[in-house]
Each structure stands twice: as structure tokens, then as C-alpha cells.
Amino acid sequence: MNSNGPIKTVEGLARAGLLARRDRDALADVAARYAIALTPTVAGLIDRADDSDPIARQFVPEPAELITTPEERADPIGDEAHSPVQGIVHRYPDRVLLKAVHVCPVYCRFCFRREMVGPEGLGTLDPNAMSAAFAYIRDHEEIWEVILTGGDPLVLSPRRLEEILRELASIDHVKIVRFHTRVPVVDPSRVDAALIAALRASGKTVYVALHANHPRELTAEARAACARLIDAGMVMVSQSVLLKGVNDDPAVLTELMKAFVETRVKPYYLHHPDLAPGTSHFRLTIEEGQKIVAALRGRISGLCQPTYILDIPGGHGKAVIAPQSISEMGEGCYSVSDYRGGEHLYPPVA
């Protein structure tokens, strides 16, 4: 059952048959706090006969979102602590986030910026704020990469994107422009000739980081959208979040990572879920995550291996939290585990 436009209300979800066995009164309270949006593409992927459908779990609200645990916070990765001017996050020396827009085509129920995005969120940067953001980038010659995020930057019109990219084109020390987006999987028809031309307007090297969490998201249409970007000269990498009830299974992650590689998208980051309010029902423990990631080792090609990371709360940056396969035993000797769980000495005993 597909609607002709995006679903943005609890009533719209009900009409689309997506609220079986859910408490609609509780969902009204969720909707009052956190934005809802599903594109027709996403709605069409949901198996309405499956109460545990992994696509629905990502996008259809749950009453559990009203439960905030003590460790959760509105700004879980500390964007605000590193925001020198509106729209800029400068956490690492050589790169900045440029948050031009805080609107998305879909709203993930686990989003780490869920307090900032949506119709009631921070909106789109006005011309004065954009000018100040560009001035900051221009004044800091250490900035080698600009990452457009938000929100989803590809909701902007091609004309607006081209304006942003032509401005970045005039800044010599910026060499890389990266986009973080879900658009190729949730609204693949949007990736058309006009959008691609806009993304190429900077003349810089352009990377597109695609967010997808389940192999069913990589439909034929999504793969074709990625192919249009890649064939136009853009490099694509992936971002996924390890989510309970969505992809917390080595077999599902294996299929997802292989699907990325088949699509010419290099697996990049597998995020441990952030401590965003109302998201505890998505989080595994780090130990559980490490066991799942360890199960990928030896199971799939090195091309398919993502880096398992945690964004340290408070704005301290990313840390690799993948399980270690080597441990020091002293006197220059190490114990190394292989993908079958066998232990070996390095260097070998003569």
C-alpha cells in the first residue's frame, strides 16, 4: 500500500496500514515531540504482515520513544560544544560539518540529532548564517574537507546545492566535499541529472556517504541511483548503525555489506547507537556489538568490512571499538586470534 506522497502523521501511518497493534494515543505524544516522515519508497518496503519488520522499526514510531534513560542526552555527540558559528561543527582539525539544513526526507527513530531535525527543528540556515559559515571555512586554512550533513543536504534543490558548492569551489584549501545522505535509498528518483550536475559544481573531489541499515533498503532503484552518482565521478562510502531488531545479526550484516560492495559503495562506518533520547530500545551493549562484528571476520571479504565505532559522548570524537585480535604477552611476544577462534603466537616459537 503506497501513498502518493510522504507520510508525516500518525493518521497517515494508520491509513497506510502501518500501525497494527500500536497504541495510537501514545504515538500522538511521540509525534508531538519527534518528527515523522516516510517516503512512498520506504512505505512500500515495509512488510505489514511482520510485526518485527526491520524497515518499519527504523521509521515507524513506537511508544518506547517516550522513555528517556538517565544517560541519554539531547546532543549526544556534542555538536554544540564544537560549533564556533551557526551551522558549523569543527571537531577535528582538517574537516568541518556544514549543517545547511535540518530537514530530512525520512526521520529515523534512532536519530542522534532527533531534537534538532524536523519541521520544528533548527530549519535551514538563512543567508546571513550561510555567509558566516563560509567565512569561517575561508578563514581556517586547515580545513581540507567540508561535510554537508544536517538533516539531509540532498533535500535541498539543485539550485541551492549548486550555490553552496560554487561557494566552496572558491575556497582553495578545501579539497574534499562529502555529503551524508539517505536519499538514494529512500527517494532514488531524486538522484536525477539536475542533482548530479549540482553535486559536481564545486570541481572538488566529491564523496557521498550513504546511510542504510538493512539489505532490503538497497533495491534495484537505489542501486541505480548510486550507479548514476558513481558513474558521474563521485566516490561512495557507507554508514550504518548497529540496531537491535534491525541488523544485530551477522547474517544480516553480511548481506548488507555485500550489497554495498556490489553497488560499488565501500563499507565505511558501523556506528554503535548514540545516546539520543528515547532510543534505548535500539541499543545493544558494546560487548554484544563486538561479538557480531567479530563474526564478520573471515566470513566476508575484506572489501566488506566496516569499522565499528563509538562517538564518545560530550564531543570527544570517534573511537574504534572493534574487538582486538591481538594481545601482548610480554617480551615482544603476542597472542593472535584467527577468524576461527584459534590462538597463535607471534613471532612463532622456533
Side-chain angles (χ1 to χ4, degrees), residues 98 100 130 134 137-138 145-149 153-154 156-172 174-179 194-208 229 234:
L98 174 56
M130 284 297 297
F134 287 130
I137 296 168
R138 198 178 299 277
E145 179 182 24
V146 174
I147 302 167
L148 281 104
T149 182
L154 297 195
L156 294 169
S157 69
R159 178 191 62 79
R160 188 74 187 97
L161 284 168
E162 187 167 346
E163 288 174 356
I164 292 170
L165 286 160
R166 291 202 181 282
E167 189 73 33
L168 293 175
S170 70
I171 305 175
D172 288 342
V174 172
K175 305 298 183 185
I176 307 294
V177 180
R178 191 195 323 174
F179 291 86
L195 179 66
I196 289 169
L199 296 185
R200 299 179 67 185
S202 67
K204 311 287 187 180
T205 299
V206 176
Y207 279 72
V208 177
L229 292 166
M234 278 156 263

Side-chain angles (χ1 to χ4, degrees), residues 230-249:
I230 295 164
D231 291 345
M234 278 156 263
V235 183
M236 292 193 70
V237 297
S238 77
Q239 292 203 102
S240 303
V241 185
L242 186 58
L243 299 166
K244 186 181 292 186
V246 175
N247 56 18
D248 56 332
D249 180 325

Side-chain angles (χ1 to χ4, degrees), residues 26-322:
L27 293 186
D29 292 335
V30 175
R33 180 168 182 182
Y34 302 120
I36 296 170
L38 289 76
T39 60
T41 295
V42 167
L45 287 177
I46 294 172
D47 181 355
R48 288 153 176 78
D50 182 0
D51 290 340
S52 301
D53 181 76
I55 308 300
R57 184 162 170 79
Q58 293 183 68
F59 301 107
V60 178
E62 291 276 1
E65 294 177 48
L66 297 173
I67 301 169
T68 301
T69 59
E71 69 275 13
E72 292 176 343
R73 52 190 70 187
D75 182 15
I77 69 169
D79 277 356
E80 290 303 315
H82 296 277
S83 184
V85 298
Q86 186 182 359
I88 291 287
V89 178
H90 196 174
R91 182 178 288 109
Y92 301 102
D94 71 336
R95 56 203 182 275
V96 295
L97 303 183
L98 174 56
K99 299 194 290 185
V101 64
H102 288 82
V103 176
C104 299
V106 294
Y107 292 107
C108 305
R109 310 321 304 167
F110 50 87
C111 178
F112 68 97
R113 291 194 180 115
R114 64 195 326 227
E115 300 277 16
M116 308 171 194
V117 300
E120 306 302 320
L122 299 180
T124 303
L125 290 188
D126 63 35
N128 289 336
M130 284 297 297
S131 294
F134 287 130
Y136 181 88
I137 296 168
R138 198 178 299 277
D139 290 344
H140 288 76
E141 293 188 3
E142 73 274 21
I143 296 173
W144 172 78
E145 179 182 24
V146 174
I147 302 167
L148 281 104
T149 182
D152 192 318
L154 297 195
V155 302
L156 294 169
S157 69
R159 178 191 62 79
R160 188 74 187 97
L161 284 168
E162 187 167 346
E163 288 174 356
I164 292 170
L165 286 160
R166 291 202 181 282
E167 189 73 33
L168 293 175
S170 70
I171 305 175
D172 288 342
H173 56 265
V174 172
K175 305 298 183 185
I176 307 294
V177 180
R178 191 195 323 174
F179 291 86
H180 285 185
T181 184
R182 262 195 179 276
V183 162
V185 295
V186 304
D187 192 7
S189 64
R190 191 175 181 87
V191 183
D192 58 13
L195 179 66
I196 289 169
L199 296 185
R200 299 179 67 185
S202 67
K204 311 287 187 180
T205 299
V206 176
Y207 279 72
V208 177
L210 175 67
H211 178 181
N213 299 313
H214 193 275
R216 273 175 34 212
E217 295 175 60
L218 289 165
T219 62
E221 294 78 12
R223 294 182 189 221
C226 292
R228 291 193 290 275
L229 292 166
I230 295 164
D231 291 345
M234 278 156 263
V235 183
M236 292 193 70
V237 297
S238 77
Q239 292 203 102
S240 303
V241 185
L242 186 58
L243 299 166
K244 186 181 292 186
V246 175
N247 56 18
D248 56 332
D249 180 325
V252 173
L253 276 184
T254 292
E255 189 178 351
L256 174 63
M257 296 304 154
K258 284 185 173 181
F260 281 137
V261 172
E262 292 164 6
T263 309
R264 294 183 285 166
V265 177
K266 177 66 180 80
Y268 182 40
Y269 279 155
L270 177 63
H271 293 265
H272 192 77
D274 296 308
L275 297 174
T279 62
S280 61
H281 54 297
F282 284 108
R283 287 198 298 275
L284 299 83
T285 65
I286 286 177
E287 291 77 14
E288 288 170 331
Q290 288 176 324
K291 288 179 181 177
I292 292 168
V293 171
L296 299 181
R297 198 161 57 95
R299 184 181 187 130
I300 50 176
S301 164
L303 290 173
C304 302
Q305 302 285 345
T307 301
Y308 184 34
I309 63 153
L310 172 73
D311 253 306
I312 304 168
H316 302 289
K318 296 178 177 66
V320 176
I321 57 172

